Amino acid sequence: MAHLRPIRALGTGALIVVAACGGDAPDRPELPPLAVSSDVPFCQSVAQAVNAYHAEQSAAHPRPADPRYGGTVVVAGGGDFRGGLNALTTGDQTDQETELHLLHVTLTRFAADRTPEPYLAESWTLEDDGSGITFRLRDDVMWHDGQPVTAEDVVFTYRRAMDPATGFLNVGWFQFYDADAVEALDDHTVRFAFTPHAEVMDPFSNMAIMPQHLLGDVPPAEMGGHPFGTDCPVGAGPYVFEAYRPGDQWVLRANPAFPEDLGGRPFLDRYVYRVIPSSSTRAGELAAGGVDVALGLEPVDAEAVAARDGVRLAAFDSRSFSFIGWNPRLPGLSDVRVRRALTMALDREALLETLRGEYGTRVETGVPDFHWAYDPDLQGPPHDPEGARAMLDEAGWTDRDGDGVRENQAGDELRFDLVTNSNTERETIARIMADELGDVGVAFDLQVVDNQTLGARLGNPTNRDFGSFILGFAPDFNINERDFFHSSSDATGYGWSALNDPELDRLLDTLPRIRDRDQARPLWAEYQQRIVELQPYTYLFFSQRLNGLNADLAGVEMDLRGELINVPAWYWNPETN
Amino acid sequence: MLSYAIRRLAVAVVLAFGVATVCFALVWFAPGDERSDLLLSGRGAVVDTGPEPGLVEAYGDWVGSLLRGDLGTSERSGNVARWLLARLPHTLALSVSGLVLAVVFGVGVGVLQAARAGTVLDRLLTLGTVVAYSAPAFWVGILLGGAFIHKPMELGMEPLFPLTGVAPPGGATSLLDYIPYLVLPALTLGIVLGAGIARYTRAAMLEALAQDYVRSARARGLSEMRVLFRHGLRTALLPLISLLGVYLPVLLTGAVFVETVFSRTGIGLAMMEAILGQDLQVLMGGALMFGFAAVVGNLIADLLYGWADPRIGDAVRG
Amino acid sequence: MQSVARHQRGGVGLSVFLPGAPQILAGRVAEGLLALMPWLSAILLLVLRADLVSSQLGEGSTVGRASMALLAAAGLAWAWSLRDVSTPPEAGAGQGAWVRIVRDPWAGIGLAILLFFAGLSLLGPPLLLPEDPGRTQTTEEGFLPPSMDHPMGTDNAKSDVFERFLDGARVTLGIGLLAGLGGALIGVTLGAWAGFTGGWVDRVVMRCVDFFIALPKLVLLIALAALYDLGPVTLALFIAFVQWPALARIVRAEAVALAQREFVHALRAFGVSERRILFRHVLPNAQGVILVGTALAVANALLIEAGLSFLGLGLDSASWGRLIKDGGALFPHWWVGGFAGMSLVLVVVALNLVADAVRDVFDPRADVTV
């Protein structure tokens, strides 16, 4: 989920680079030949081709003598990539980063200053009137099965992504694209056509290119459950798929044939992603040496990591914020007074302090304080339980039967499902919510599911039966909340809290078309004000991302762009290893 | 013996059938349309077109696919049988090693107590076994993890065992690689189950040793060791075999908790993940597998018992 | 075991200040502890929360009623102890089964533990917690170790663990008791009915029992808890439902044995109704077995409730299992789950100790095993 555009000055992200050092080559044995295997028919021939090509390329490009090469890194994260590494069907953050930066390639990628730089596309020309862009592709990037990556693959990928039948979550990127927007001019040239709009370049760094020669025959609607994603994903990126043990780990192998200009063969021979749902267990495994990188730690675990020898903490701003979403289709929650009262009943300041300590910032909308469009004068609803009670009374919800829960005239209780995913932070929010909102007479039935299920449940436009949910979301650099709040988004994946507000619709329609920021800023302020008034979400906080790292792991860069952006440049410090 | 075996087998088949029926009923009568839809769609019955199948039809369908070894297909996990079978070895390794440890601990402690009956050691061990017997597997697991992993780490030392998982990241290269991951989980089951076995063994040994023929053996001047093992243990161990059959559900249930505590990717953890993922197919598939495992285990215990004590043969247990 | 010092002056004197202490010294641990505990609790309450008690006593509030109850219990304990030391032992005292159970030192400790937790979960919340039941994130810091202000420390959400512990005790012990007793009721009824009636009823019931005993019931209960929205009563009911077979089997065996006894034949010959024979004569003779089975069923039910909560499948409300889950890996924040885990084991141990003592007293074979 992401577009991109410079946000604040560089430096919001922590840049962790340890200087490369010489030294004796540590003993890191070569791995046995790649052996992808699968009992799924589709994958058998694919696996064969990948194994054969990898063996051939490994022979042709032996591991350089540089002591930084070799070794395995084990990265632990909270969620499994159930949908597999198919970029057309995923929505999870770490999943997407693994696709963008490891297994697959994108047309462009973000440089440290968050401007696009060449990747699969070696150059591009944006047409003067802003109605089209032409990319010139490299000719030396190969799929992991030995086929060349061509313009056809790019056309295939974008057409599938735009096809509603595929169910690609970020279709909003293509809002201004023409119906047949993508065409291959020749084997290595692609042109996109669209109506002029702001932040044109964003999708190109966020959409991983998928192999047309393997997926071309798969109907869009079958893309979701296709074994390609889980049993034999084939990309063209610096890492090659080796194995997937469901619920446990993903294993990737260095791609010896990755073009030198793009970084060449990655330093680390093997990249293992382990699924460890609990933050404290991830931190424990890091300390114990069972994993080398622990992603997304909670503050208490992060502090334990920071205090320990041999490991270090990487804390950096992320684009991810947490919020409580309301379903405005329900009788109680359709009333803006009720939504406002719910926000007012919650002590969000204390909540932030309790859960994140110094590693988070308050927000009132999805526009973070480091974004250019942020309105510093914005005031959110205050913490005011008394006011909340009064507002609920006024909205017609009073405790008529004296059981502590409010009812409306018809006798229906002000009681909602509260769905969230299983992690300590979210479950603690739920506990605090039940307490504080219980105090003003609102009740919740908590339901805890896992990441994927939460996403699938909320993102299903045909069955929005939830009442409320706690979610974290990482918006694109280019913020466009049309898919979330526009009245037309009711039937789309992200439209879980879609509102029907003409004023908001107008702003959402206008904002993405304004290409000049100074001109857009006042409208952005208006937009944020409107969001605060309507309270589709109760916004909680932006989180700093807290990752624990083995201190010997060098070359790691993690910042607002992501935490896996330069995995191919990670290496084990030869001095200390 | 043969007819006894056949009869036990028949009982096991009926039990297995019962397990399947209970699982089916759980899903069928669960509230919410989605659940019965899931049941049906997983079974390959067409829900969208045509009328919704009735209870009888759905049940027949379910039993039919079960007999083909088909546990259905889940949107989230694909072929459920394939998914669970991939994880079965880890649960089996845990259960079997847990059971072995339990028998070793239990019989060892029980015999020791019987040999030293009435001493301070006996009293202490009695208290110890009552406590271990009373502790839930998850709490014992947490305590062991605390003692051998997290406390050493808090003190800045290396943990003595890996925290989570079943094998080193990237995969095991030899069977030995699995052992460190198995120690604490198996120990947990061994302690919890072993305490019960110890209590039983002690009582049975004392009872056996009080028999007249044992007394006369002693009187004949046989060594205490010989009396203990020849006469005491032999008599006491026989019923232990059928006791193990009774303990089997405890063992399997314990495995679910232990897998959760130590994040072992076995069937129990798969069930817990399935709950969070609302993956009904895998949840029921896992429950079925545990149910069948209990039935098979009971059968094995019965057959062993019949084999070890031919008197049982056809006489008892009509 | 019998008292040697009951009539000594010191005994009377001691019992004025510490009712129960002379009995403990005399080896009657259970009775002594049962008297000493409410007395000490009442004194502690008066010392620590004098203001609360003086303002609330006599009021109809929860606090008022709870302190009244505690003070009354302390008074009773005091009176009983004094009377006990100053009365000469009656002839034959200590021979009854119940007296023997209560005077078994291990059972005594078990009973004392049970009484302690029962008192804590009933009287603790009103007497020991702040008047306005504290909400989460009210304390100053998360993960504070135990202290005077927070006897069990605080957790990640800055809530007082002691408060959650007391809430959890009510849920875990309450559901455990309800489910255990419910399971025992079903098991005793079915077992006695089957064993006493015999014939096809017996066969059907026993086949069901065999079936249920072979099932990994908790695994099925896990599936069930995940599928159905369970309230406290339904949860207790389902736990009860997996409890009955074990008890049914034991009671049935006892009933079968009793049904063969001559007195039953004699009663039948006198024309006494079957039901009357069952309830008036058979069941009372099986009381030892039933008591043991019930204690174990309650212990089991407690463990199941805690286990389900530990897996996140219990009620939404507090539970010891939930606390253990939140406590995670035990270190470094051992107090979050530690107290709950230890208390759970303690209560179950106590139930087992009592059950063992009952078994020893009622089961003739017990002579062998003690």
mmCIF file of all heavy atoms in Angstrom, chain A residues 39 74 82 231 245-246 249 274 281 284-285 287-288 308 447-450 453, chain B residues 34 76-77 82-83 87 153 157 159 163-165 169-171 265 273 276-278:
data_model
loop_
_atom_site.group_PDB
_atom_site.id
_atom_site.type_symbol
_atom_site.label_atom_id
_atom_site.label_comp_id
_atom_site.label_asym_id
_atom_site.label_seq_id
_atom_site.Cartn_x
_atom_site.Cartn_y
_atom_site.Cartn_z
ATOM 1 N N ASP A 39 4.638 -30.258 -4.817
ATOM 2 C CA ASP A 39 3.830 -31.338 -5.370
ATOM 3 C C ASP A 39 2.624 -30.794 -6.132
ATOM 4 O O ASP A 39 1.752 -31.527 -6.541
ATOM 5 C CB ASP A 39 3.394 -32.314 -4.282
ATOM 6 C CG ASP A 39 2.735 -31.605 -3.113
ATOM 7 O OD1 ASP A 39 2.524 -30.370 -3.219
ATOM 8 O OD2 ASP A 39 2.447 -32.258 -2.103
ATOM 9 N N VAL A 74 18.493 -14.144 9.533
ATOM 10 C CA VAL A 74 17.156 -14.585 9.913
ATOM 11 C C VAL A 74 16.384 -13.373 10.422
ATOM 12 O O VAL A 74 16.785 -12.727 11.385
ATOM 13 C CB VAL A 74 17.209 -15.664 11.008
ATOM 14 C CG1 VAL A 74 15.812 -16.161 11.323
ATOM 15 C CG2 VAL A 74 18.100 -16.813 10.570
ATOM 16 N N ARG A 82 0.330 -15.325 4.071
ATOM 17 C CA ARG A 82 -0.536 -16.393 3.628
ATOM 18 C C ARG A 82 -0.877 -16.272 2.149
ATOM 19 O O ARG A 82 -1.082 -17.256 1.472
ATOM 20 C CB ARG A 82 -1.834 -16.399 4.434
ATOM 21 C CG ARG A 82 -1.665 -16.879 5.834
ATOM 22 C CD ARG A 82 -1.306 -18.340 5.853
ATOM 23 N NE ARG A 82 -1.120 -18.764 7.222
ATOM 24 C CZ ARG A 82 -1.736 -19.810 7.772
ATOM 25 N NH1 ARG A 82 -2.519 -20.561 7.052
ATOM 26 N NH2 ARG A 82 -1.522 -20.116 9.025
ATOM 27 N N ASP A 231 3.790 -21.579 -3.510
ATOM 28 C CA ASP A 231 4.580 -22.786 -3.760
ATOM 29 C C ASP A 231 5.774 -22.542 -4.672
ATOM 30 O O ASP A 231 6.779 -23.250 -4.580
ATOM 31 C CB ASP A 231 3.701 -23.884 -4.373
ATOM 32 C CG ASP A 231 2.868 -24.578 -3.318
ATOM 33 O OD1 ASP A 231 2.069 -23.884 -2.670
ATOM 34 O OD2 ASP A 231 3.054 -25.798 -3.125
ATOM 35 N N ARG A 245 7.598 -22.740 4.554
ATOM 36 C CA ARG A 245 6.976 -23.643 5.514
ATOM 37 C C ARG A 245 5.859 -22.860 6.190
ATOM 38 O O ARG A 245 6.122 -21.988 7.014
ATOM 39 C CB ARG A 245 8.010 -24.131 6.531
ATOM 40 C CG ARG A 245 8.910 -25.220 5.961
ATOM 41 C CD ARG A 245 9.850 -25.785 7.007
ATOM 42 N NE ARG A 245 11.125 -25.092 7.021
ATOM 43 C CZ ARG A 245 12.084 -25.282 6.104
ATOM 44 N NH1 ARG A 245 11.906 -26.120 5.116
ATOM 45 N NH2 ARG A 245 13.224 -24.625 6.184
ATOM 46 N N PRO A 246 4.622 -23.168 5.818
ATOM 47 C CA PRO A 246 3.490 -22.330 6.240
ATOM 48 C C PRO A 246 3.440 -22.124 7.748
ATOM 49 O O PRO A 246 3.658 -23.050 8.519
ATOM 50 C CB PRO A 246 2.273 -23.137 5.771
ATOM 51 C CG PRO A 246 2.775 -23.965 4.644
ATOM 52 C CD PRO A 246 4.195 -24.303 4.987
ATOM 53 N N GLN A 249 8.188 -20.332 8.238
ATOM 54 C CA GLN A 249 9.217 -19.505 7.611
ATOM 55 C C GLN A 249 9.212 -19.503 6.088
ATOM 56 O O GLN A 249 8.696 -20.406 5.432
ATOM 57 C CB GLN A 249 10.593 -19.920 8.110
ATOM 58 C CG GLN A 249 10.895 -21.393 7.966
ATOM 59 C CD GLN A 249 12.204 -21.739 8.654
ATOM 60 O OE1 GLN A 249 13.233 -21.829 8.012
ATOM 61 N NE2 GLN A 249 12.186 -21.903 9.963
ATOM 62 N N ARG A 274 11.213 -15.531 9.499
ATOM 63 C CA ARG A 274 10.503 -16.404 10.446
ATOM 64 C C ARG A 274 9.264 -15.726 10.993
ATOM 65 O O ARG A 274 9.286 -14.549 11.335
ATOM 66 C CB ARG A 274 11.411 -16.779 11.627
ATOM 67 C CG ARG A 274 12.344 -17.924 11.322
ATOM 68 C CD ARG A 274 12.937 -18.445 12.611
ATOM 69 N NE ARG A 274 11.895 -18.979 13.491
ATOM 70 C CZ ARG A 274 12.116 -19.302 14.759
ATOM 71 N NH1 ARG A 274 13.308 -19.138 15.301
ATOM 72 N NH2 ARG A 274 11.147 -19.803 15.483
ATOM 73 N N THR A 281 8.570 -12.503 22.195
ATOM 74 C CA THR A 281 9.299 -13.679 21.750
ATOM 75 C C THR A 281 10.297 -13.312 20.667
ATOM 76 O O THR A 281 11.421 -13.831 20.633
ATOM 77 C CB THR A 281 8.325 -14.743 21.215
ATOM 78 O OG1 THR A 281 7.275 -14.911 22.150
ATOM 79 C CG2 THR A 281 9.022 -16.069 21.018
ATOM 80 N N GLY A 284 13.115 -11.846 22.431
ATOM 81 C CA GLY A 284 13.843 -12.898 23.129
ATOM 82 C C GLY A 284 14.704 -13.699 22.170
ATOM 83 O O GLY A 284 15.870 -13.985 22.453
ATOM 84 N N GLU A 285 14.154 -14.044 21.023
ATOM 85 C CA GLU A 285 14.910 -14.796 20.036
ATOM 86 C C GLU A 285 16.108 -13.999 19.531
ATOM 87 O O GLU A 285 17.170 -14.552 19.264
ATOM 88 C CB GLU A 285 14.014 -15.192 18.852
ATOM 89 C CG GLU A 285 13.187 -16.450 19.099
ATOM 90 C CD GLU A 285 14.007 -17.730 18.967
ATOM 91 O OE1 GLU A 285 15.242 -17.669 19.093
ATOM 92 O OE2 GLU A 285 13.407 -18.794 18.742
ATOM 93 N N ALA A 287 17.756 -11.741 21.259
ATOM 94 C CA ALA A 287 18.759 -11.765 22.319
ATOM 95 C C ALA A 287 19.436 -13.127 22.410
ATOM 96 O O ALA A 287 20.624 -13.233 22.695
ATOM 97 C CB ALA A 287 18.097 -11.425 23.658
ATOM 98 N N ALA A 288 18.670 -14.179 22.142
ATOM 99 C CA ALA A 288 19.218 -15.521 22.250
ATOM 100 C C ALA A 288 20.010 -15.918 21.012
ATOM 101 O O ALA A 288 20.641 -16.965 20.995
ATOM 102 C CB ALA A 288 18.079 -16.518 22.475
ATOM 103 N N ARG A 308 20.743 -4.278 25.839
ATOM 104 C CA ARG A 308 21.480 -5.530 25.801
ATOM 105 C C ARG A 308 22.712 -5.441 24.908
ATOM 106 O O ARG A 308 22.706 -4.755 23.902
ATOM 107 C CB ARG A 308 20.541 -6.613 25.268
ATOM 108 C CG ARG A 308 20.793 -7.959 25.868
ATOM 109 C CD ARG A 308 19.869 -8.991 25.305
ATOM 110 N NE ARG A 308 20.535 -10.271 25.402
ATOM 111 C CZ ARG A 308 20.571 -11.000 26.497
ATOM 112 N NH1 ARG A 308 19.932 -10.594 27.556
ATOM 113 N NH2 ARG A 308 21.233 -12.144 26.520
ATOM 114 N N GLN A 447 -13.457 -9.582 19.406
ATOM 115 C CA GLN A 447 -13.137 -10.737 18.594
ATOM 116 C C GLN A 447 -11.714 -10.568 18.084
ATOM 117 O O GLN A 447 -11.390 -9.571 17.452
ATOM 118 C CB GLN A 447 -14.126 -10.822 17.438
ATOM 119 C CG GLN A 447 -14.086 -12.161 16.770
ATOM 120 C CD GLN A 447 -14.983 -12.199 15.555
ATOM 121 O OE1 GLN A 447 -15.591 -11.205 15.181
ATOM 122 N NE2 GLN A 447 -15.047 -13.354 14.934
ATOM 123 N N VAL A 448 -10.866 -11.530 18.395
ATOM 124 C CA VAL A 448 -9.469 -11.427 18.010
ATOM 125 C C VAL A 448 -9.179 -12.405 16.879
ATOM 126 O O VAL A 448 -9.476 -13.590 16.986
ATOM 127 C CB VAL A 448 -8.546 -11.722 19.202
ATOM 128 C CG1 VAL A 448 -7.099 -11.602 18.797
ATOM 129 C CG2 VAL A 448 -8.854 -10.774 20.339
ATOM 130 N N VAL A 449 -8.617 -11.894 15.801
ATOM 131 C CA VAL A 449 -8.284 -12.749 14.661
ATOM 132 C C VAL A 449 -6.835 -12.455 14.260
ATOM 133 O O VAL A 449 -6.156 -11.678 14.933
ATOM 134 C CB VAL A 449 -9.230 -12.487 13.477
ATOM 135 C CG1 VAL A 449 -10.644 -12.860 13.831
ATOM 136 C CG2 VAL A 449 -9.164 -11.040 13.043
ATOM 137 N N ASP A 450 -6.345 -13.044 13.209
ATOM 138 C CA ASP A 450 -4.980 -12.707 12.796
ATOM 139 C C ASP A 450 -4.986 -11.645 11.689
ATOM 140 O O ASP A 450 -6.043 -11.279 11.176
ATOM 141 C CB ASP A 450 -4.185 -13.955 12.408
ATOM 142 C CG ASP A 450 -4.731 -14.624 11.157
ATOM 143 O OD1 ASP A 450 -5.577 -14.016 10.486
ATOM 144 O OD2 ASP A 450 -4.303 -15.753 10.872
ATOM 145 N N THR A 453 -6.822 -12.350 8.348
ATOM 146 C CA THR A 453 -8.261 -12.493 8.499
ATOM 147 C C THR A 453 -8.899 -11.135 8.736
ATOM 148 O O THR A 453 -9.958 -10.838 8.191
ATOM 149 C CB THR A 453 -8.571 -13.427 9.673
ATOM 150 O OG1 THR A 453 -7.780 -14.590 9.506
ATOM 151 C CG2 THR A 453 -10.022 -13.791 9.699
ATOM 152 N N GLU B 34 -22.104 -18.512 7.916
ATOM 153 C CA GLU B 34 -20.797 -18.720 7.305
ATOM 154 C C GLU B 34 -20.248 -20.085 7.644
ATOM 155 O O GLU B 34 -19.603 -20.723 6.842
ATOM 156 C CB GLU B 34 -19.809 -17.683 7.813
ATOM 157 C CG GLU B 34 -19.946 -16.359 7.141
ATOM 158 C CD GLU B 34 -19.119 -15.346 7.888
ATOM 159 O OE1 GLU B 34 -17.943 -15.250 7.573
ATOM 160 O OE2 GLU B 34 -19.660 -14.699 8.794
ATOM 161 N N ARG B 76 -7.636 -20.414 3.050
ATOM 162 C CA ARG B 76 -6.444 -19.833 3.643
ATOM 163 C C ARG B 76 -5.259 -20.783 3.572
ATOM 164 O O ARG B 76 -4.123 -20.365 3.399
ATOM 165 C CB ARG B 76 -6.765 -19.509 5.103
ATOM 166 C CG ARG B 76 -5.738 -18.751 5.850
ATOM 167 C CD ARG B 76 -6.392 -18.256 7.122
ATOM 168 N NE ARG B 76 -5.437 -17.610 7.981
ATOM 169 C CZ ARG B 76 -4.719 -18.267 8.882
ATOM 170 N NH1 ARG B 76 -4.840 -19.561 8.995
ATOM 171 N NH2 ARG B 76 -3.866 -17.611 9.649
ATOM 172 N N SER B 77 -5.525 -22.065 3.709
ATOM 173 C CA SER B 77 -4.424 -23.011 3.856
ATOM 174 C C SER B 77 -4.372 -24.060 2.753
ATOM 175 O O SER B 77 -3.523 -24.934 2.787
ATOM 176 C CB SER B 77 -4.531 -23.723 5.205
ATOM 177 O OG SER B 77 -4.812 -22.809 6.217
ATOM 178 N N ARG B 82 -3.037 -32.075 3.566
ATOM 179 C CA ARG B 82 -1.645 -31.845 3.218
ATOM 180 C C ARG B 82 -1.005 -30.894 4.228
ATOM 181 O O ARG B 82 0.109 -31.096 4.713
ATOM 182 C CB ARG B 82 -1.614 -31.256 1.810
ATOM 183 C CG ARG B 82 -0.255 -30.973 1.261
ATOM 184 C CD ARG B 82 -0.368 -30.589 -0.215
ATOM 185 N NE ARG B 82 0.847 -29.905 -0.628
ATOM 186 C CZ ARG B 82 0.863 -28.649 -1.042
ATOM 187 N NH1 ARG B 82 -0.246 -27.949 -1.117
ATOM 188 N NH2 ARG B 82 2.006 -28.084 -1.398
ATOM 189 N N TRP B 83 -1.755 -29.871 4.543
ATOM 190 C CA TRP B 83 -1.298 -28.838 5.477
ATOM 191 C C TRP B 83 -0.993 -29.438 6.852
ATOM 192 O O TRP B 83 0.047 -29.172 7.447
ATOM 193 C CB TRP B 83 -2.407 -27.797 5.569
ATOM 194 C CG TRP B 83 -2.213 -26.716 6.561
ATOM 195 C CD1 TRP B 83 -2.605 -26.706 7.856
ATOM 196 C CD2 TRP B 83 -1.577 -25.464 6.330
ATOM 197 N NE1 TRP B 83 -2.264 -25.523 8.448
ATOM 198 C CE2 TRP B 83 -1.639 -24.747 7.533
ATOM 199 C CE3 TRP B 83 -0.981 -24.863 5.219
ATOM 200 C CZ2 TRP B 83 -1.111 -23.464 7.670
ATOM 201 C CZ3 TRP B 83 -0.458 -23.584 5.357
ATOM 202 C CH2 TRP B 83 -0.524 -22.913 6.556
ATOM 203 N N ARG B 87 2.720 -30.966 9.299
ATOM 204 C CA ARG B 87 3.049 -30.580 10.674
ATOM 205 C C ARG B 87 2.974 -31.742 11.645
ATOM 206 O O ARG B 87 3.423 -31.635 12.782
ATOM 207 C CB ARG B 87 2.085 -29.483 11.127
ATOM 208 C CG ARG B 87 2.347 -28.210 10.376
ATOM 209 C CD ARG B 87 1.307 -27.173 10.686
ATOM 210 N NE ARG B 87 1.881 -25.860 10.448
ATOM 211 C CZ ARG B 87 1.724 -24.847 11.280
ATOM 212 N NH1 ARG B 87 1.021 -24.984 12.358
ATOM 213 N NH2 ARG B 87 2.278 -23.691 11.015
ATOM 214 N N MET B 153 18.769 -15.575 30.374
ATOM 215 C CA MET B 153 18.938 -14.430 29.478
ATOM 216 C C MET B 153 18.826 -13.118 30.232
ATOM 217 O O MET B 153 19.534 -12.159 29.939
ATOM 218 C CB MET B 153 17.913 -14.481 28.354
ATOM 219 C CG MET B 153 18.367 -15.389 27.227
ATOM 220 S SD MET B 153 17.079 -15.688 26.039
ATOM 221 C CE MET B 153 16.685 -14.044 25.544
ATOM 222 N N MET B 157 23.141 -14.345 30.425
ATOM 223 C CA MET B 157 23.779 -15.565 29.935
ATOM 224 C C MET B 157 23.088 -16.056 28.664
ATOM 225 O O MET B 157 22.056 -15.546 28.267
ATOM 226 C CB MET B 157 23.706 -16.646 31.007
ATOM 227 C CG MET B 157 24.505 -16.307 32.243
ATOM 228 S SD MET B 157 24.487 -17.650 33.429
ATOM 229 C CE MET B 157 22.839 -17.606 34.049
ATOM 230 N N PRO B 159 20.792 -18.557 26.704
ATOM 231 C CA PRO B 159 19.728 -19.485 27.074
ATOM 232 C C PRO B 159 20.199 -20.912 26.827
ATOM 233 O O PRO B 159 21.043 -21.147 25.964
ATOM 234 C CB PRO B 159 18.595 -19.117 26.124
ATOM 235 C CG PRO B 159 19.263 -18.481 24.970
ATOM 236 C CD PRO B 159 20.471 -17.783 25.513
ATOM 237 N N LEU B 163 14.425 -20.811 21.986
ATOM 238 C CA LEU B 163 13.152 -20.339 22.530
ATOM 239 C C LEU B 163 11.958 -20.930 21.809
ATOM 240 O O LEU B 163 10.977 -21.308 22.429
ATOM 241 C CB LEU B 163 13.050 -18.817 22.382
ATOM 242 C CG LEU B 163 13.647 -17.932 23.439
ATOM 243 C CD1 LEU B 163 15.132 -17.911 23.318
ATOM 244 C CD2 LEU B 163 13.071 -16.553 23.298
ATOM 245 N N THR B 164 12.020 -20.906 20.505
ATOM 246 C CA THR B 164 10.828 -21.259 19.734
ATOM 247 C C THR B 164 11.222 -22.133 18.559
ATOM 248 O O THR B 164 12.396 -22.276 18.244
ATOM 249 C CB THR B 164 10.161 -20.006 19.149
ATOM 250 O OG1 THR B 164 11.098 -19.373 18.284
ATOM 251 C CG2 THR B 164 9.729 -19.045 20.214
ATOM 252 N N GLY B 165 10.209 -22.673 17.908
ATOM 253 C CA GLY B 165 10.431 -23.396 16.667
ATOM 254 C C GLY B 165 10.705 -24.864 16.882
ATOM 255 O O GLY B 165 10.645 -25.385 17.996
ATOM 256 N N PRO B 169 16.670 -22.137 11.874
ATOM 257 C CA PRO B 169 16.142 -21.407 10.724
ATOM 258 C C PRO B 169 16.817 -21.889 9.452
ATOM 259 O O PRO B 169 18.007 -22.132 9.436
ATOM 260 C CB PRO B 169 16.521 -19.949 11.007
ATOM 261 C CG PRO B 169 16.749 -19.893 12.467
ATOM 262 C CD PRO B 169 17.231 -21.240 12.883
ATOM 263 N N GLY B 170 16.038 -22.029 8.398
ATOM 264 C CA GLY B 170 16.600 -22.503 7.149
ATOM 265 C C GLY B 170 16.486 -24.002 7.004
ATOM 266 O O GLY B 170 16.695 -24.539 5.928
ATOM 267 N N GLY B 171 16.167 -24.682 8.091
ATOM 268 C CA GLY B 171 15.947 -26.123 7.998
ATOM 269 C C GLY B 171 17.030 -26.917 8.688
ATOM 270 O O GLY B 171 18.163 -26.469 8.825
ATOM 271 N N THR B 265 5.688 -25.553 15.660
ATOM 272 C CA THR B 265 4.725 -25.561 14.566
ATOM 273 C C THR B 265 4.175 -26.964 14.323
ATOM 274 O O THR B 265 4.450 -27.585 13.299
ATOM 275 C CB THR B 265 5.365 -25.033 13.275
ATOM 276 O OG1 THR B 265 6.635 -25.687 13.110
ATOM 277 C CG2 THR B 265 5.553 -23.561 13.347
ATOM 278 N N GLU B 273 -3.618 -21.202 15.299
ATOM 279 C CA GLU B 273 -3.554 -20.245 14.184
ATOM 280 C C GLU B 273 -4.858 -20.248 13.403
ATOM 281 O O GLU B 273 -5.328 -19.208 12.946
ATOM 282 C CB GLU B 273 -2.419 -20.624 13.224
ATOM 283 C CG GLU B 273 -1.030 -20.428 13.773
ATOM 284 C CD GLU B 273 0.009 -21.126 12.914
ATOM 285 O OE1 GLU B 273 -0.338 -21.606 11.814
ATOM 286 O OE2 GLU B 273 1.159 -21.209 13.342
ATOM 287 N N LEU B 276 -7.421 -18.064 15.039
ATOM 288 C CA LEU B 276 -7.206 -16.640 14.774
ATOM 289 C C LEU B 276 -7.492 -16.312 13.314
ATOM 290 O O LEU B 276 -7.881 -15.202 12.987
ATOM 291 C CB LEU B 276 -5.767 -16.246 15.112
ATOM 292 C CG LEU B 276 -5.445 -16.197 16.598
ATOM 293 C CD1 LEU B 276 -3.994 -15.838 16.806
ATOM 294 C CD2 LEU B 276 -6.325 -15.171 17.289
ATOM 295 N N GLY B 277 -7.258 -17.294 12.436
ATOM 296 C CA GLY B 277 -7.481 -17.053 11.020
ATOM 297 C C GLY B 277 -8.883 -17.418 10.584
ATOM 298 O O GLY B 277 -9.188 -17.373 9.406
ATOM 299 N N GLN B 278 -9.727 -17.789 11.540
ATOM 300 C CA GLN B 278 -11.089 -18.229 11.258
ATOM 301 C C GLN B 278 -11.091 -19.267 10.149
ATOM 302 O O GLN B 278 -11.909 -19.239 9.232
ATOM 303 C CB GLN B 278 -11.960 -17.038 10.881
ATOM 304 C CG GLN B 278 -11.918 -15.984 11.977
ATOM 305 C CD GLN B 278 -13.050 -15.007 11.897
ATOM 306 O OE1 GLN B 278 -13.399 -14.540 10.825
ATOM 307 N NE2 GLN B 278 -13.644 -14.683 13.030
#
